[in-house]
Amino acid sequence: MTKDVIALTPKMPDTGALLAALHAGGPELGLTATDDGAVLQLCGADGRPLVSVEAPLLVHTPGEAERLLGSPAGVPAPPYWWTETRASTAVPAAESLAGSVCGRLTMLLGGTTWPPGSGHTARVATPDEGARPSAASAPVVPVVDVLTYSTAVVLADRPVVPLTAWLSDLLRATARSDRAFHLVTPPHVRLTLPLRAALGGTPNRWVVQDPAGGYHDGLSGVRLFWRDGTFAPPGTEVADAFTSRVTPDGHRQLTVSFRTVHAPAADLELGGALEAAWRHLTGAPPAGWGTAEPVNLPWSRRQLTEAARDRAPAPAHLVVIGTPERPAIATHRVTRTTAGVAEDTTLTLGYTAPDEVPLDALEALADKLVTEHALTTMLTTLRRARADLTLPPHLEPPPLPIAFTLGVRDVRTTGLTHARRPPLAVRPRQLGPATAPALHYPLGDGTDAAAWTALQVLSDHLKAGSPA
């Protein structure tokens, strides 16, 4: 059963339209908001959240509705407004209430609702009474499906589950409350790479409901059971459903993970290395950026820098997206360190055939980032995985290292003579000026698992180094 309903409208949901939408269940429903006002929630008479309504986003980025929702009919041309609602599964009427909220918005503002046919304008009757929430079940954020002392569980059924502002808030809230976050989906659901990165590892999980019964972990395939208020594996058995499906033949994902560090300065503009890598590998700049998905803002290094400064000294976590014609997505983290302002970028690009992967462009990219953007390290990997950059709940081979680059500062710390002589068959290539070189280490072409052994040997060798 779908629990998310989205209104896509060409006009802004102003105060009048939002009030009309929020009266879908009548004026007797309660209305609360998060501290920053980014999420509103309609609550029943017992105080339980029924529907959460995220602040409308103005989406400038082409292809976001298609990327995250499939190909819904009637999507307005960018820029358009994306208003996302989520219904609680605890109250049967909540889904219809969410559909009425979105249906009223599209009636007043034009556009369409997703899923198709979910929008309507009828007033929805909701129960006056219900079980009063206990301390264990009181929501830490709006509309959690199951909450125990150890785990917050969210049920999701949509083609692709993105890292929405609501899910991002939920992940932070569960961490603060020392709870695990478990996302439960049917087997046809996929995750975006930013959500996969945000989930991290244990105790958080992606739980897939097996069509043959039972549950398994969407990342490892290990069977799971619900016990003592959480999903846990009884052993190491892997579900058949996890290994029986395969990634489309020939699809590849190239991932370039790199760090740059800059001296703090009033005129420092961030995102330069990310944009340079994007242009080098795709021939165009990024299309958009944002703090969550859908990615709604047109690409702007100035605005990205302002957002990072607004969050300082806390880290800024950002998502960057490419055009539909050239699938690429990046997570970008900005932090203040003792060495300066650090930018950590993981850029992934999708290809439908192995010969499309630009392996011969990687050394030149490393040289550009070293000489122009203060690169400290860069690791490039290749894996057989979906070209559309979504993550399915079945086995995909692990990535294989292609190359590693050590920047000028770390070469100096390790010692140039030592860093030049790893116990590998292939010698590193010197980048940048001879007086302050960086080193680029080729490790493979993405077809041989022995590249992991080579990377480990290289890492151990560099750690053992010392300045010459």
Side-chain angles (χ1 to χ4, degrees):
M1 180 175 65
T2 298
K3 301 149 197 78
D4 303 310
V5 184
I6 300 167
L8 305 171
T9 61
K11 298 179 182 179
M12 181 181 72
D14 57 14
T15 302
L18 284 172
L19 286 175
L22 293 171
H23 275 76
E28 62 272 15
L29 291 183
L31 182 64
T32 62
T34 54
D35 291 341
D36 59 3
V39 180
L40 300 173
Q41 56 182 336
L42 288 168
C43 302
D46 61 358
R48 285 186 300 174
L50 302 176
V51 172
S52 69
V53 183
E54 293 190 21
L57 285 174
L58 180 60
V59 177
H60 293 266
T61 313
E64 278 299 87
E66 291 77 9
R67 181 175 75 91
L68 300 178
L69 304 177
S71 298
V75 177
Y80 58 85
W81 292 87
W82 180 304
T83 306
E84 183 144 347
T85 69
R86 188 171 198 284
S88 169
T89 57
V91 179
E95 185 179 0
S96 182
L97 180 60
S100 185
V101 169
C102 291
R104 291 174 179 223
L105 288 176
T106 56
M107 179 192 69
L108 294 169
L109 306 170
T112 189
T113 57
W114 180 92
S118 59
H120 62 92
T121 58
R123 177 173 169 175
V124 179
T126 56
D128 292 331
E129 296 295 334
R132 302 259 173 191
S134 66
S137 62
V140 291
V141 295
V143 194
V144 175
D145 293 301
V146 178
L147 192 69
T148 70
Y149 283 106
S150 66
T151 306
V153 179
V154 167
L155 310 179
D157 185 359
R158 55 198 290 178
V160 177
V161 182
L163 180 62
T164 63
W166 175 77
L167 272 181
S168 183
D169 287 345
L170 177 54
L171 283 163
R172 287 191 292 268
T174 52
R176 287 195 299 267
S177 64
D178 291 324
R179 286 180 170 92
F181 170 72
H182 289 180
L183 176 69
V184 182
T185 74
H188 62 266
V189 173
R190 291 167 280 128
L191 307 188
T192 65
L193 295 184
L195 177 56
R196 167 65 186 94
L199 280 177
T202 306
N204 297 337
R205 287 189 185 278
W206 177 18
V207 181
V208 178
Q209 190 168 11
D210 196 314
Y215 301 88
H216 65 267
D217 189 291
L219 303 178
S220 69
V222 66
R223 291 193 180 277
L224 301 171
F225 290 88
W226 179 259
R227 58 176 61 172
D228 299 326
T230 194
F231 285 99
T236 58
E237 181 186 2
V238 174
D240 292 339
F242 184 73
T243 57
S244 61
R245 289 175 288 170
V246 296
T247 298
D249 188 40
H251 283 212
R252 297 291 186 272
Q253 289 180 9
L254 178 71
T255 298
V256 185
S257 301
F258 55 91
R259 163 172 274 215
T260 58
V261 179
H262 319 277
D267 61 349
L268 174 63
E269 192 171 71
L270 302 174
L274 186 154
E275 180 174 326
W278 213 293
R279 288 181 180 275
H280 188 86
L281 295 173
T282 72
W289 74 283
T291 57
E293 295 175 287
V295 175
N296 64 310
L297 299 171
W299 175 247
S300 168
R301 290 180 57 194
R302 177 185 59 81
Q303 291 181 345
L304 183 151
T305 302
E306 290 172 354
R309 283 180 174 150
D310 287 345
R311 286 163 174 75
H317 298 268
L318 308 171
V319 180
V320 185
I321 195 75
T323 62
E325 298 77 27
R326 175 61 280 162
I329 194 166
T331 55
H332 188 68
R333 185 172 186 264
V334 181
T335 53
R336 287 298 302 268
T337 71
T338 55
V341 180
E343 296 182 87
D344 291 283
T345 302
T346 299
L347 167 61
T348 302
L349 304 98
Y351 304 91
T352 56
D355 58 5
E356 295 177 357
V357 183
L359 297 181
D360 56 356
L362 297 176
E363 184 176 338
L365 170 61
D367 187 55
K368 185 176 187 66
L369 297 183
V370 164
T371 56
E372 300 178 18
H373 297 282
L375 179 77
T376 61
T377 58
M378 184 173 85
L379 175 65
T380 306
T381 62
L382 185 66
R383 68 183 307 210
R384 179 180 172 182
R386 292 178 63 101
D388 64 7
L389 306 179
T390 60
L391 183 71
H394 63 70
L395 180 64
E396 289 188 321
L400 297 175
I402 299 292
F404 178 76
T405 306
L406 193 67
V408 173
R409 185 190 65 181
D410 288 2
V411 167
R412 186 182 303 116
T413 300
T414 303
L416 177 58
T417 300
H418 182 83
R420 274 177 170 163
R421 299 175 179 174
L424 299 173
V426 178
R427 291 292 147 199
R429 294 160 190 171
Q430 186 168 305
L431 307 178
T435 54
L439 294 174
H440 181 74
Y441 302 86
L443 298 171
D445 61 1
T447 62
D448 189 353
W452 277 117
T453 301
L455 180 61
Q456 185 61 57
V457 169
L458 174 62
S459 177
D460 292 343
H461 176 78
L462 296 175
K463 289 177 182 177
S466 60

